[in-house]
Amino acid sequence: MISDLLVIGGGASGFMAAITAVENGLGSVVILESTSKVLEKVRISGGGRCNLTNSCRDISTLVNNYPRGEKQLIGLFNKFSTIDAFSWFQNRGLNLKIENDGRVFPSSDSSYEVIKCLKDLAVKSGIKVFTNSHVKQINKTNEIFEVLVKGSNYFKTKNVLICTGGHPSGRKLAKSLGHSIIQPVPSLFSLSTSEKSLESCSGIALNVQTKLTVSNKKYTETGSILITHKGFSGPVILRLSAFSARTLFSNKYIGELRINWLCIPEIEIRSKIDVYKLGNPKKLVINSKPFSKLPRRLWKALLMSENIDVKLKWCELSKSNKESLVKCLFMKNYAISSRGPFGEEFVTAGGVSLNEINFKTMESKICKGLFFAGEVLDIDGVTGGFNFQHCWTSGWVAGNSVVSN
């Protein structure tokens, strides 16, 4: 039997494409998943809660969350946006909620509800799902694809959709069919430093302004930082790592991170210190601070990093001490020595070259009947539901395009 569509990869984009194709009239659809379970990334996303999209509605703002693929996603999101994804799941029985930071989760806070929704829709649509089915080779003869699966099983199909995420198998198949591959490198990871001045501050989180310098290239972000026992993590660091992924990789993850711990101008920091010094002359500098947002542990660590005596009173703070403290709060530099572990999304920067894809249909420009969706492409986003949104969108567009192919 020859299927109308064979989907390689049982993840978010694969299920979205398969369901969309059948709902729009396509006859027979098969999903091949190389592992024993489908939708595993959905299961572990968001600590098991599944951050399946974001509430950002403005497309010009939305695409700013994608270090690679921003231009191509403008057209895609005009076809199927975050609003459409939200409605798609709600209309199919999955209740969703929007958190204060804009992230969207199932109301149950359980990724299993997302998996159940997609699996139930696949069963209802008559989609055949085969697990433990690693695709070894794809050949095309007379407009028909022959797909060889581990164990010498063959599938024949009119159309193939490759959506294997960051797994190298999908890139290997794409390359065998004539596509160029952009070398994948890690994205969304923490940054490590060999400096010891913040070791006592592990676990502290607060909003900061950051500037990461790597090989004379500068990347700036504002957001929440988490001090770890080895360096820095949190949303602002993951975003910096995503946008600087290739530069950091080329520079062997060595750079300099400058932090404005207070998110305010230097002149304002200096003024607040002057006012506080006049009003609290007899208090010890280490025990009292002009900045309420700064955690006490961090305040003490910063003072010690500038060699300010723990017994010093505010009235005894010299001009040089004050300037040292101002600079420390406004632009403290930390040498980045390596990357830490991946963020929870396990995202890579790289994949199938975007120049070889028709983004109106997600079809290959090189091989007719071959489609791509999701992270197998050289498109990746920051944390916050953006990577899943790209998967839903590209899968939906591919699923619709196969029907009219």
Side-chain angles (χ1 to χ4, degrees), residues 49 86 90 95-99 103-109:
R49 297 171 62 212
F86 194 99
Q90 288 261 119
N95 291 321
L96 303 177
K97 64 177 180 179
I98 303 173
E99 300 203 335
R103 294 182 299 164
V104 175
F105 293 89
S107 298
S108 62
D109 277 329

Side-chain angles (χ1 to χ4, degrees), residues 30-250:
V30 174
I31 296 177
L32 300 181
E33 167 58 38
S34 63
T35 67
S36 61
K37 295 179 181 179
V38 297
L39 300 165
E40 267 296 278
K41 200 165 183 181
V42 171
R43 182 183 68 81
I44 63 176
S45 164
R49 297 171 62 212
C50 188
N51 177 196
L52 78 171
T53 186
N54 195 279
S55 63
C56 179
R57 290 170 171 252
D58 180 69
I59 292 174
S60 61
T61 302
L62 178 62
V63 296
N64 288 335
N65 293 287
Y66 297 86
R68 285 148 289 273
E70 176 183 357
K71 179 181 175 182
Q72 291 80 4
L73 286 170
I74 293 172
L76 288 178
F77 287 149
N78 272 297
K79 293 183 177 183
F80 192 84
S81 67
T82 54
I83 303 169
D84 297 314
F86 194 99
S87 299
W88 193 91
F89 282 101
Q90 288 261 119
N91 292 339
R92 287 161 180 79
L94 181 67
N95 291 321
L96 303 177
K97 64 177 180 179
I98 303 173
E99 300 203 335
N100 292 336
D101 59 4
R103 294 182 299 164
V104 175
F105 293 89
S107 298
S108 62
D109 277 329
S110 172
S111 60
Y112 288 103
E113 292 298 316
V114 184
I115 294 171
K116 184 178 185 303
C117 174
L118 292 168
K119 279 186 171 180
D120 287 351
L121 286 167
V123 170
K124 182 182 176 181
S125 300
I127 297 165
K128 295 179 180 178
V129 180
F130 297 90
T131 55
N132 297 309
S133 299
H134 173 70
V135 175
K136 296 173 63 177
Q137 188 176 332
I138 303 174
N139 297 311
K140 189 179 183 185
T141 308
N142 298 326
E143 307 302 315
I144 298 298
F145 292 93
E146 293 183 344
V147 180
L148 175 63
V149 176
K150 187 178 180 180
S152 299
N153 292 322
Y154 266 104
F155 288 84
K156 291 187 176 183
T157 183
K158 297 174 184 176
N159 300 282
V160 169
L161 169 64
I162 297 178
C163 47
T164 48
H167 196 276
S169 61
R171 298 192 293 269
K172 185 178 178 181
L173 292 171
K175 189 173 182 179
S176 73
L177 292 166
H179 279 275
S180 306
I181 305 299
I182 308 301
Q183 180 192 13
V185 301
S187 183
L188 294 180
F189 48 84
S190 57
L191 298 175
S192 298
T193 179
S194 56
E195 296 181 23
K196 307 297 183 183
S197 62
L198 295 179
E199 280 188 340
S200 63
C201 300
S202 180
I204 288 176
L206 71 161
N207 282 328
V208 299
Q209 290 173 341
T210 59
K211 179 179 287 185
L212 177 65
T213 303
V214 186
S215 294
N216 296 320
K217 291 187 178 181
K218 291 181 171 58
Y219 304 87
T220 59
E221 296 289 343
T222 299
S224 179
I225 197 170
L226 173 67
I227 302 172
T228 69
H229 64 291
K230 290 186 177 181
F232 307 98
S233 188
V236 74
I237 295 299
L238 295 179
R239 190 174 176 93
L240 278 173
S241 74
F243 279 91
S244 64
R246 293 206 169 278
T247 309
L248 275 168
F249 177 82
S250 299

Side-chain angles (χ1 to χ4, degrees), residues 337-352:
S337 55
S338 64
R339 70 172 176 86
F342 280 103
E344 65 179 18
E345 302 295 342
F346 309 107
V347 172
T348 56
V352 177

